[in-house]
Amino acid sequence: MFYREVGDFKTTYAADSQTFPIAFDRVRYYFVLIVAVLLVPFLIDDYWSNAVFVPLLVWSVAAIGLNILTGYCGQISLGTGGFMAVGAYACYKLSTEFPDLNIVFCILISGAITAAVGMLFGLPSLRIKGFYLAVATLAAQFFLVWLFNKVPWFYNYSASGQITMPERTIFGLAVTGPNVEPWAQYLICLAFVFGLAWAARNLTRGSLGRQWMAIRDMDIAAEIIGVDPLRAKLSAFAVSSFYVGVAGALYFSVYLGAVEVTEAFGINQSFLVLFMIIIGGLGSIFGSLVGAAFMVLLPIVLRNILTRGLNWDTALATHVEFMVVGCLIMFFLIAEPHGLAQLWNIAKQKLRLWPFPH
Amino acid sequence: MNSSGSGQKAIEAPLMDIRNISLRFGGVVALEGVSFDIAEGEIRAIIGPNGAGKSSMLNVINGFYTPQLGEIWYEGRRRGSIKPHNIARQGIARTFQNIALFEGMSALDNILCGRVTLVRSGFWKQLLWWGPAEREETEHRERVEQIIDFLEIQAIRKTPVGQLPYGLQKRVELGRALAAEPKLLLLDEPMAGMNNEEKEDMCRFVLDVGDELGTTIVLIEHDMGVVMDLADRVVVMDHGELIADGVPQEIMNNQDVIDAYLGVAH
């Protein structure tokens, strides 16, 4: 009954175009924010940090990034894993070459380097569309992984070919390396997710976001009303790759600590992020977060139910988990092809009218 | 509808002068030696049977096609090879014969899109949103709301355009073109597929755009009644060639035009 816009009058255009137009939504948003910042860090332990929160936050950044490119600008990319690898290796090289450089700058610069690489691999998008572009970005995926395996300079000539993140601190507090506290890990990822989600929202609601969506919906009409397709597409590739690069840097430095490129940044990761945004909802920041949550949390929840709740054999549980996750993906896509974000919107529409049917 | 009476609006220096345009696609001749001018502030109609080259002419004007021969002079300068999005920046906007709205966006966002050439805030200001970008966004919103009032589509501003009926989609598209505050507005069959009531509404909007905003309009339309009432001057095309050019009265009595439209015994 309280989920209404009735009585919530908007007297300015700024108020009319805010992110959460309904008062209850605003309150809920601040509530989630307060819980995430003030409550979770005190309760979090190693398991929750490593299994749930940190991967959730890192994949959220990657999903927002891909959603900007695919959901908002309509350019399909299968190179997400490769671009994450660029972020990770840039972060590794920066932190080993410049040990005094703060880790936050390290991660941001890694994002910027990935943005440049992303723009380079985005150039074909000016000529080709759809499936053909997907194949072109697939080439980026394989090329980048090959490159990081092949050129020893990228992994500092280590014998194993792995890269390992040295310990780095913020205000004397370790956020990477073996001695990191779970809550510090969690908070740095949360800060990146919050800042980047906020920036993504700003970009997508302004003129640049409308240009991207115009290109997505009808590129010829967009060009004729004055959108420069070159700048719109390449800016989408740059911004998207920045996000994906930051996600790769966080994934390597804060989450895993040591990676081997073929395993950590293979084609599977590209598909994983693509699934996240398709299930979460294309063209929605909220959808990216929900999609990441769905793909990260669902297997964990299932595994816990099957192995701990039902005492199944671990191997059997793993196989069943794959099948159930696959079936659920199909179910959600059939039930609502526009993703969980759209389901959420429909639920909100219904809630607005409740208890009346219309 | 009084503008047919004012058919002899003083023809000033032409806003656009189209000289001897020829356009071919392989062996197909779409336009052959077409020349006419568009005077500042007039409503200029282009008529002709299907396949006469009317839409091709608009596509040449807004740079989507590059003609093999001929020159276009705009605001007293010869226009060189130029991309469509830069032509939009010079103040030429258009609507399409088949609606070309951005389906995933609301009517409001579609019309806001029309102002893309007028946005000043750069990337970093938009990223930060607070301050300049938000103020600028509000300015654009105010202008767009005036257009929404003008076109009487207040009720549907937040509706995704894919859900709107045809007539309203046409109006939103006109709104998107007007949002760019163009000097020259190209309308490609704005009344096609409409019932009489919708046509009358659209005619009123076209006349008001010309009168209130002083926008020069190029109009392609099949409904002769509409053309004769609205247009100050009419160009008639057939098989890619210009066969007549003049005020509506002359056009109606021109033998070539009657032949082209009604057919002629061979």
Side-chain angles (χ1 to χ4, degrees):
Chain A
M1 292 291 274
F2 45 83
Y3 193 80
R4 295 278 148 95
E5 56 262 81
V6 176
D8 195 359
F9 296 112
K10 307 287 189 299
T11 52
T12 62
Y13 290 131
D16 187 47
S17 56
Q18 61 189 325
T19 309
F20 299 106
I22 292 179
F24 178 70
D25 270 343
R26 287 195 292 276
V27 173
R28 188 177 47 79
Y29 165 71
Y30 288 118
F31 175 75
V32 170
L33 209 59
I34 288 169
V35 168
V37 177
L38 296 182
L39 203 58
V40 175
F42 293 103
L43 301 177
I44 198 166
D45 61 16
D46 218 28
Y47 172 75
W48 279 92
S49 167
N50 271 321
V52 180
F53 281 110
V54 171
L56 172 63
L57 293 170
V58 170
W59 288 116
S60 297
V61 175
I64 294 172
L66 187 62
N67 217 336
I68 286 174
L69 184 65
T70 305
Y72 283 95
C73 198
Q75 312 297 308
I76 300 178
S77 167
L78 288 177
T80 316
F83 294 133
M84 283 179 79
V86 174
Y89 277 78
C91 185
Y92 174 67
K93 285 306 284 185
L94 284 167
S95 56
T96 48
E97 299 282 330
F98 309 99
D100 294 330
L101 189 64
N102 188 295
I103 180 73
V104 173
F105 290 111
C106 226
I107 291 171
L108 290 176
I109 296 169
S110 307
I113 292 171
T114 316
V117 175
M119 268 166 82
L120 188 69
F121 283 102
L123 284 173
S125 73
L126 303 173
R127 284 276 167 193
I128 53 181
K129 295 179 196 173
F131 289 125
Y132 304 95
L133 180 63
V135 172
T137 52
L138 197 60
Q141 165 75 44
F142 287 115
F143 170 74
L144 290 168
V145 169
W146 172 83
L147 182 74
F148 293 128
N149 262 327
K150 195 74 186 168
V151 181
W153 179 78
F154 285 114
Y155 49 85
N156 283 356
Y157 307 96
S158 74
S160 61
Q162 277 200 340
I163 54 174
T164 308
M165 187 66 194
E167 181 169 298
R168 289 289 173 267
T169 57
I170 301 175
F171 306 124
L173 179 75
V175 291
T176 66
N179 302 318
V180 60
E181 295 282 342
W183 58 270
Q185 244 179 335
Y186 165 77
L187 275 183
I188 184 166
C189 290
L190 184 71
F192 270 104
V193 169
F194 178 77
L196 291 174
W198 176 77
R201 166 69 188 155
N202 286 348
L203 284 176
T204 50
R205 68 172 154 179
S207 175
L208 190 59
R210 284 195 295 269
Q211 291 187 34
W212 290 339
M213 289 188 275
I215 290 282
R216 172 195 68 189
D217 285 348
M218 192 163 283
D219 51 355
I220 291 172
E223 193 175 354
I224 279 167
I225 66 164
V227 176
D228 183 349
L230 177 95
R231 293 181 62 160
K233 284 181 181 172
L234 288 190
S235 63
F237 265 98
V239 174
S240 162
S241 304
F242 178 86
Y243 279 67
V244 171
V246 167
L250 286 172
Y251 189 66
F252 156 64
S253 65
V254 178
Y255 178 49
L256 292 178
V259 301
E260 200 279 310
V261 63
T262 327
E263 259 174 52
F265 300 113
I267 181 79
N268 285 344
Q269 315 295 28
S270 299
F271 283 121
L272 181 67
V273 183
L274 194 62
F275 291 158
M276 283 174 186
I277 64 168
I278 291 174
I279 289 167
L282 291 168
S284 157
I285 304 291
F286 174 71
S288 319
L289 303 178
V290 182
F294 185 90
M295 293 302 289
V296 171
L297 299 186
L298 190 67
I300 298 172
V301 172
L302 271 177
R303 201 176 313 144
N304 276 320
I305 291 173
L306 295 178
T307 54
R308 295 200 192 158
L310 302 174
N311 277 324
W312 285 17
D313 177 52
T314 323
L316 179 64
T318 313
H319 290 293
V320 172
E321 178 196 312
F322 277 127
M323 288 190 275
V324 174
V325 172
C327 288
L328 277 175
I329 290 173
M330 280 196 280
F331 170 75
F332 275 109
L333 288 183
I334 292 167
E336 182 48 68
H338 294 108
L340 297 170
Q342 185 61 21
L343 275 180
W344 176 245
N345 279 337
I346 291 170
K348 287 204 293 190
Q349 288 296 339
K350 294 238 152 91
L351 205 58
R352 253 177 232 190
L353 301 170
W354 188 84
F356 307 108
H358 37 163
Chain B
M1 306 214 173
N2 56 2
S3 64
S4 63
S6 63
Q8 292 298 345
K9 257 183 206 170
I11 308 282
E12 303 153 15
L15 178 68
M16 179 172 273
D17 196 4
I18 290 152
R19 297 181 189 170
N20 202 25
I21 294 287
S22 292
L23 175 72
R24 287 183 192 81
F25 299 107
V28 181
V29 177
L31 296 170
E32 182 68 51
V34 178
S35 303
F36 61 95
D37 62 358
I38 301 160
E40 189 121 27
E42 75 172 340
I43 298 180
R44 187 74 148 123
I46 303 179
I47 62 171
N50 286 326
K54 307 181 296 292
S55 292
S56 296
M57 194 63 238
L58 285 202
N59 283 332
V60 167
I61 292 177
N62 71 11
F64 193 63
Y65 294 154
T66 310
Q68 278 81 9
L69 279 177
E71 298 173 356
I72 289 182
W73 290 67
Y74 179 62
E75 294 187 306
R77 276 191 301 276
R78 186 180 166 186
R79 197 169 79 188
S81 170
I82 181 171
K83 296 261 185 204
H85 62 87
N86 286 326
I87 288 177
R89 286 186 184 275
Q90 294 180 349
I92 299 179
R94 78 171 283 184
T95 65
F96 296 82
Q97 186 175 356
N98 309 314
I99 297 170
L101 286 170
F102 306 126
E103 295 235 331
M105 301 158 79
S106 66
L108 177 67
D109 277 340
N110 266 279
I111 302 175
L112 273 167
C113 263
R115 295 189 68 80
V116 63
T117 53
L118 304 167
V119 171
R120 302 176 307 272
S121 302
F123 178 82
W124 297 107
K125 280 184 183 164
Q126 288 188 37
L127 183 109
L128 201 62
W129 189 254
W130 292 324
E134 189 173 14
R135 273 199 300 278
E136 194 191 349
E137 184 82 2
T138 306
E139 280 169 32
H140 290 308
R141 177 78 190 271
E142 278 165 7
R143 289 288 301 130
V144 165
E145 288 291 340
Q146 287 168 9
I147 291 165
I148 288 175
D149 284 347
F150 173 69
L151 295 173
E152 296 161 16
I153 48 175
Q154 294 92 337
I156 54 140
R157 60 161 80 80
K158 299 236 166 136
T159 314
V161 289
Q163 295 172 13
L164 294 175
Y166 181 79
L168 284 177
Q169 290 194 6
K170 281 275 193 193
R171 260 194 237 185
V172 173
E173 209 190 7
L174 177 61
R176 186 180 68 187
L178 287 178
E181 298 176 11
K183 289 183 206 126
L184 178 61
L185 177 61
L186 314 174
L187 303 175
D188 196 348
E189 302 200 19
M191 291 134 203
M194 288 186 166
N195 62 33
N196 271 337
E197 201 181 329
E198 288 171 327
K199 269 187 195 175
E200 281 171 18
D201 279 344
M202 192 54 101
C203 287
R204 192 160 46 79
F205 294 137
V206 171
L207 285 174
D208 284 351
V209 169
D211 289 347
E212 290 177 19
L213 307 174
T215 310
T216 310
I217 297 168
V218 176
L219 173 75
I220 293 180
E221 186 49 56
H222 277 299
D223 186 320
M224 279 307 125
V226 168
V227 169
M228 295 306 159
D229 278 349
L230 291 189
D232 295 312
R233 290 192 298 159
V234 182
V235 168
V236 189
M237 295 178 66
D238 192 18
H239 298 299
E241 289 177 42
L242 186 141
I243 59 171
D245 182 0
V247 297
Q249 279 303 321
E250 295 167 13
I251 296 298
M252 269 199 286
N253 301 321
N254 183 311
Q255 192 57 44
D256 289 339
V257 177
I258 295 168
D259 289 348
Y261 264 90
L262 301 180
V264 60
H266 288 288

